[in-house]
Amino acid sequence: MLKLHEDYLRSILFGLEDSLVSTSGVVVGMAAATGSNRLVLIAGLIAVSVEALSMGAGQYLSERGVHELDKAHTDNLVVGATLMFACYLTAGLLVITPFLILPFPASAFAGAALPLVALFWLGYFKGRLVRVPPGRSGLEMLFIGGLAALLGMGVGLITKSL
Ligand SMILES: [Zn+2]
């Protein structure tokens, strides 16, 4: 099996996890506040594309700092930034997909549940990849990422009463 560079693995996991958590907060909050799939899609697309670009840039710049400090790093900065961007975008689009294909409010329930399911499987496959117990890895990702996602959704729900 092709060995995945540890810095690329971090970009992939970070991009997917962060996107699942933060996009779900935005879309569930928007769904609760507006009850409109169309407005959720607009807000979701803006949030996902802006964040994916920002995370790619942030990955490049922060990893560049690490490389300047530690000359032993051999990973390519552009590859790491591209992986971050692509993973963030992919997971974000996954989270907003229910609002494209399901009527409201089924879309909102799917938009809340889908990221939690995806977080578990992300942790599960990470566990298999790095050879730690996958079920435990999946639950860890579900609890830590899921807690952040639920808090994000809570912030979104609070804004409904504004
Ligand atoms: Zn590096």
Side-chain angles (χ1 to χ4, degrees):
M1 196 187 114
L2 186 75
K3 197 185 172 303
L4 184 65
H5 193 287
E6 59 194 28
D7 286 348
Y8 297 154
L9 177 64
R10 182 171 50 227
S11 290
I12 292 168
L13 290 173
F14 194 1
L16 292 172
E17 187 273 349
D18 188 23
S19 184
L20 290 172
V21 168
S22 54
T23 308
S24 64
V26 171
V27 298
V28 170
M30 278 297 289
T34 68
S36 158
N37 274 359
R38 183 171 168 273
L39 292 178
V40 171
L41 283 170
I42 292 170
L45 278 173
I46 292 170
V48 168
S49 34
V50 169
E51 267 296 304
L53 287 168
S54 169
M55 290 291 283
Q59 167 67 32
Y60 180 90
L61 294 169
S62 60
E63 192 64 23
R64 184 166 165 78
V66 172
H67 285 210
E68 286 164 347
L69 183 70
D70 180 0
K71 306 293 182 208
H73 274 245
T74 54
D75 58 300
N76 184 298
L77 293 174
V78 175
V79 171
T82 305
L83 284 171
M84 174 67 86
F85 169 79
C87 288
Y88 197 101
L89 190 68
T90 304
L93 292 178
L94 176 77
V95 175
I96 64 175
T97 298
F99 297 90
L100 204 58
I101 56 178
L102 292 174
F104 191 86
S107 55
F109 288 110
L114 191 67
L116 301 178
V117 175
L119 280 167
F120 175 82
W121 287 110
L122 175 61
Y124 184 90
F125 285 114
K126 184 271 281 177
R128 290 195 62 159
L129 188 69
V130 303
R131 296 192 179 83
V132 299
R136 207 182 64 194
S137 176
L139 287 177
E140 181 185 62
M141 188 76 79
L142 176 62
F143 279 117
I144 297 176
L147 184 66
L150 290 175
L151 288 171
M153 293 177 204
V155 171
L157 291 172
I158 289 169
T159 59
K160 189 190 177 186
S161 56
L162 294 180

